Amino acid sequence: MTLLDTIKIALEALRLNALRTALAMLGIIIGVASVIAMASISAGASKQIEDVINNLGSNVLFARPGSSRMGGRMGGAGSSLPFTDGDVAAIKQQIPEVAAVSGESRSAGAVVYGNKNWLTSFQGVNAAFHDVRNWHVSTGNGRELTDDDIRRKGKVAVIGQTVARELFGDTSPLGERIRLKNVPFTVVGILDKKGQSGMGNDQDDTILVPLSTARMRLERSGGPVPNAVEIMLISVENGADMSVVQADIEDLLMKRRNVRPGAQPDFDVRNMAEFIATRTATQSTLGLLLAAAAAISLIVGGIGIMNIMLVSVTERTREIGLRMAVGARERDILVQFLVEATTLCLIGGIIGLIIGSIGAGLFAKLGNWPVLVDPMFVAIGIVGSAGVGLFFGFYPARRASRMNPIDALRFE
Amino acid sequence: MSNPKKAVIEARGLTRHYVQGGETIRALDGVDVTIHEGEFVAVMGPSGSGKSTFMNMCGALDRPTSGSIKVGGAELSGLDNDALAELRNRVIGFVFQQFNLLPRTSALHNVMLPLRYRGSLPADAEERCLKALDQVELAGRASHSPNELSGGQQQRVAIARALVNEPELILADEPTGALDSHTTEEVLKLFQRLNAAGMTIVMVTHDAEVAAYAGRCLYFRDGNIVEDTAAAKERAAS
């Protein structure tokens, strides 16, 4: 008996009970579809994080006050004193490998244009922001912030794409007056589209103003230090050893903030890549959990297959008896039912694959989420469903093959 | 009696006991019988007489508890399950009361079933199936599935299936039990024709009229043969 013949017999048996076959397959379809969708979505997320790293550049350091280390009685992040313009200048001047430093402070509030208003985040930045963040204003969309704007404390703003769309629609925002906390600013540029951050928030929903202006006009006055800077983004020259530069910056800041050498620093300097790596680890844990959930649904599907195969074996007892009487060996019967279970699962798997891919595609389209359908997942889906068929089909097939032909032939 | 023909079935002290609910059932209790090539034998007896167990033995579906039975020259008690399957495939053709055809499968493919279990399908499989169908005068219905055939035709397809591997022996278990009197006669005449052409046939029946078509009759009771018409003839002759 050739394998092809056996598969034909299996398909025939499945066709004769179309409804039952469909119901039995449903578990496998759902299982494989969720495996494919989950794998594609979480692979897309990892891909996006990679993109973020590439986008920011792996040569960016991130400094903020307050330690994230959980030692002793340290306060939470941001509880210690902020940096200052002096720190920004010192890093730029004293560490030769540093290409640019962007001091930033952030706040949030409503922006008003005409009769429209929009709640967004304000970032007070230096001109270095555009280079460090690698986030520019394309020609035709106005200009970027300049050192001159910072010096003059100019009331100018560069707005993100989301803000531009929400406030101005199709009209050009350039040269228009917007009000932030009742202070009028002139829109001088529109940032390029950046999309979602690795954490899922819309990076284009922001407004850039000169850091000096922000300090004077947008933030409550009388902070603990003059010329405060909340965070610093530091880009390092290509080819420089990041960990050495990181240590140099830490030493410099320790000195400037009067922390004794060897003591716990009251600030935190981190490599952007490692910052993101932490989140990648979270993502992959999540992906693992989803994969486990999907695997469980495959197992449940497999139990459904086993159930249906047991029913089929019982129903076809006389057929099994006949086959044995005309010369089928135990192995022939075993193979026949294994092929049947595997075919059932494979068809379910392929349908699941299609549904899963469509689902992932829809998710990508509607959720604006990066999705990656890897050919590897397709292979895993097919091999996995065939494996489920073999595993859960084995017991029913073995039961069929162990039947006593005499009893099987007389079965009513 | 001297018979130069070879023995297809040869039972010596054939015994088969079952244990059921702690009680031993002596289904066959020391049966001695020889069935030679070219015989048409009817096996009769009330239910529980052991005739079905005897048929299972002849069909290589079961092994004796003690004693010996040779089918086509092979001693069953020495064979494993695969060897028994091979024996059923090559030496024996089965015909059942309920025909046992695969539904929604053409007559031709039903007949082909034993050929499929031969290891590899012979190149002339289809020809051989058509030849077997021709022997039962159903060559014209090769493409019909069982539900398009009458009961008598279905049984003839089953007989063609039994013939396709050119067995040494046809075992028929109540082959006319599900047929009306007209088709019963048709099937039995077919058996007689096949027998005349040299086929050995062993047929279980409880109907004396059906048994009358056979050349020899074995009556079973309580696990033994109580009457063998061949032996009776021998006695009468002596």
Side-chain angles (χ1 to χ4, degrees):
Chain A
M1 192 131 216
T2 66
L3 191 63
L4 196 70
D5 283 326
T6 318
I7 291 173
K8 271 191 210 154
I9 290 170
L11 286 175
E12 176 69 9
L14 298 177
R15 199 177 58 79
L16 292 179
N17 279 303
L19 178 65
R20 202 167 74 189
T21 303
L23 289 174
M25 272 183 195
L26 204 58
I28 296 294
I29 293 173
I30 293 170
V32 172
S34 49
V35 167
I36 294 300
M38 290 311 161
S40 301
I41 289 166
S42 79
S46 324
K47 172 89 168 39
Q48 190 188 38
I49 285 165
E50 247 170 66
D51 291 347
V52 168
I53 294 174
N54 292 339
N55 186 1
L56 265 177
S58 54
N59 59 340
V60 173
L61 293 170
F62 178 90
R64 64 177 178 189
S67 176
S68 64
R69 278 165 232 166
M70 293 299 175
R73 288 174 288 130
M74 293 296 292
S79 62
S80 54
L81 293 178
F83 301 123
T84 63
D85 279 346
D87 295 328
V88 173
I91 290 171
K92 176 82 180 79
Q93 281 156 17
Q94 293 178 29
I95 299 173
E97 294 93 338
V98 168
V101 183
S102 168
E104 300 177 17
S105 66
R106 293 177 185 181
S107 56
V111 51
V112 180
Y113 171 71
N115 58 356
K116 290 184 191 154
N117 71 67
W118 180 249
L119 198 65
T120 185
S121 73
F122 312 138
Q123 299 190 60
V125 299
N126 292 328
F129 173 92
H130 297 288
D131 286 333
V132 175
R133 281 294 192 93
N134 190 23
W135 195 2
H136 298 281
V137 172
S138 297
T139 36
N141 278 341
R143 63 172 180 84
E144 297 176 356
L145 293 177
T146 63
D147 287 332
D148 196 44
D149 292 326
I150 315 298
R151 251 194 321 277
R152 289 192 299 107
K153 299 191 177 76
K155 288 187 274 183
V156 291
V158 173
I159 63 177
Q161 297 259 345
T162 302
V163 176
R165 190 184 65 233
E166 293 297 334
L167 287 186
F168 298 96
D170 291 333
T171 61
S172 170
L174 293 179
E176 297 295 331
R177 286 270 172 117
I178 55 175
R179 297 173 80 85
L180 314 181
K181 296 192 175 171
N182 271 327
V183 183
F185 283 77
T186 308
V187 177
V188 296
I190 305 160
L191 284 166
D192 292 342
K193 192 165 175 60
K194 194 92 167 175
Q196 281 183 343
S197 75
M199 284 189 267
N201 44 7
D202 180 6
Q203 297 181 92
D204 295 314
D205 188 4
T206 193
I207 295 178
L208 303 182
V209 297
L211 179 58
S212 50
T213 321
R215 270 200 297 254
M216 194 168 70
R217 306 279 186 181
L218 301 182
E219 285 156 29
R220 66 196 158 87
S221 52
V225 288
N227 301 331
V229 170
E230 267 177 35
I231 56 172
M232 289 189 285
L233 281 167
I234 303 144
S235 73
V236 179
E237 299 279 8
N238 284 333
D241 186 335
M242 289 295 284
S243 50
V244 172
V245 178
Q246 190 171 344
D248 288 349
I249 293 170
E250 276 169 2
D251 285 347
L252 178 64
L253 288 174
M254 297 265 271
K255 251 177 261 159
R256 291 185 59 84
R257 291 164 75 87
N258 298 320
V259 180
R260 272 179 287 112
Q264 184 88 294
D266 62 349
F267 61 89
D268 195 27
V269 180
R270 283 221 243 171
N271 191 326
M272 210 60 203
E274 100 193 18
F275 186 70
I276 287 162
T278 321
R279 212 177 312 135
T280 314
T282 317
Q283 288 268 6
S284 55
T285 309
L286 193 70
L288 208 67
L289 275 173
L290 292 173
I296 288 168
S297 61
L298 257 186
I299 290 171
V300 172
I303 292 168
I305 295 290
M306 185 149 141
N307 194 7
I308 230 69
M309 288 310 296
L310 282 173
V311 171
S312 173
V313 165
T314 306
E315 257 185 14
R316 289 154 69 195
T317 300
R318 280 168 69 98
E319 180 196 321
I320 294 164
L322 169 76
R323 286 177 185 276
M324 287 175 160
V326 301
R329 291 161 303 171
E330 287 179 14
R331 195 180 344 142
D332 295 320
I333 302 293
L334 185 80
V335 167
Q336 183 189 337
F337 281 93
L338 270 185
V339 165
E340 210 163 292
T342 308
T343 308
L344 190 66
C345 285
L346 261 181
I347 296 172
I350 289 167
I351 296 172
L353 212 63
I354 295 167
I355 293 176
S357 306
I358 292 172
L362 278 180
F363 199 84
K365 201 161 183 187
L366 301 178
N368 191 23
W369 186 277
V371 167
L372 191 75
V373 181
D374 194 313
M376 186 69 185
F377 304 151
V378 175
I380 289 172
I382 289 176
V383 172
S385 55
V388 165
L390 279 178
F391 185 81
F392 289 97
F394 185 75
Y395 174 69
R398 188 180 152 90
R399 189 151 138 170
S401 73
R402 290 288 176 91
M403 278 181 183
N404 178 344
I406 298 167
D407 299 336
L409 279 166
R410 304 228 188 299
F411 185 82
E412 294 298 329
Chain B
M1 184 179 94
S2 66
N3 197 327
K5 290 191 168 178
K6 76 172 198 183
V8 176
I9 290 168
E10 201 173 1
R12 291 288 169 268
L14 178 63
T15 305
R16 181 73 170 94
H17 293 170
Y18 299 102
V19 178
Q20 202 172 50
E23 213 176 319
T24 304
I25 296 164
R26 296 163 180 271
L28 288 178
D29 212 4
V31 170
D32 294 314
V33 70
T34 305
I35 295 170
H36 293 97
E37 195 175 20
E39 282 195 277
F40 184 179
V41 180
V43 176
M44 295 190 74
S47 40
S49 63
K51 65 180 195 295
S52 292
T53 308
F54 178 68
M55 281 297 283
N56 292 339
M57 291 290 174
C58 296
L61 290 163
D62 201 358
R63 271 181 287 246
T65 310
S66 69
S68 90
I69 179 165
K70 285 183 184 171
V71 178
E75 174 59 53
L76 292 193
S77 49
L79 298 178
D80 65 9
N81 285 348
D82 281 2
L84 286 180
E86 166 100 20
L87 192 71
R88 293 196 289 267
N89 186 242
R90 298 299 178 104
V91 176
I92 301 156
F94 283 93
V95 177
F96 304 97
Q97 181 176 1
Q98 295 299 339
F99 325 140
N100 282 10
L101 297 175
L102 298 181
R104 298 171 197 84
T105 306
S106 71
L108 182 79
H109 282 96
N110 262 299
V111 172
M112 207 180 282
L113 194 65
L115 294 178
R116 291 183 190 278
Y117 289 112
R118 279 179 64 122
S120 63
L121 200 62
D124 61 344
E126 206 164 309
E127 261 167 64
R128 290 173 68 160
C129 294
L130 286 170
K131 196 181 134 211
L133 281 169
D134 196 44
Q135 279 179 278
V136 300
E137 293 164 351
L138 277 177
R141 301 291 175 103
S143 61
H144 291 230
S145 64
N147 60 343
E148 298 166 333
L149 298 171
S150 72
Q153 286 171 331
Q154 287 185 51
Q155 191 60 300
R156 276 150 62 198
V157 170
I159 294 168
R161 181 179 64 196
L163 289 171
V164 74
N165 249 344
E166 290 162 359
E168 291 180 30
L169 167 70
I170 285 186
L171 278 180
D173 190 358
E174 300 274 10
T176 58
L179 301 176
D180 61 37
S181 59
H182 177 69
T183 44
T184 294
E185 196 186 328
E186 197 180 290
V187 164
L188 289 170
K189 288 208 163 135
L190 172 59
F191 276 149
Q192 282 187 325
R193 270 207 310 282
L194 293 169
N195 179 240
M199 181 58 71
T200 314
I201 299 169
V202 176
M203 173 176 72
V204 168
T205 182
H206 60 264
D207 185 340
E209 264 180 60
V210 170
Y213 283 82
R216 178 182 174 189
C217 221
L218 303 175
Y219 289 95
F220 275 78
R221 180 159 296 166
D222 300 330
N224 248 312
I225 296 173
V226 292
E227 194 184 340
D228 179 346
T229 56
K233 269 181 218 158
E234 206 177 323
R235 276 198 304 276
S238 61

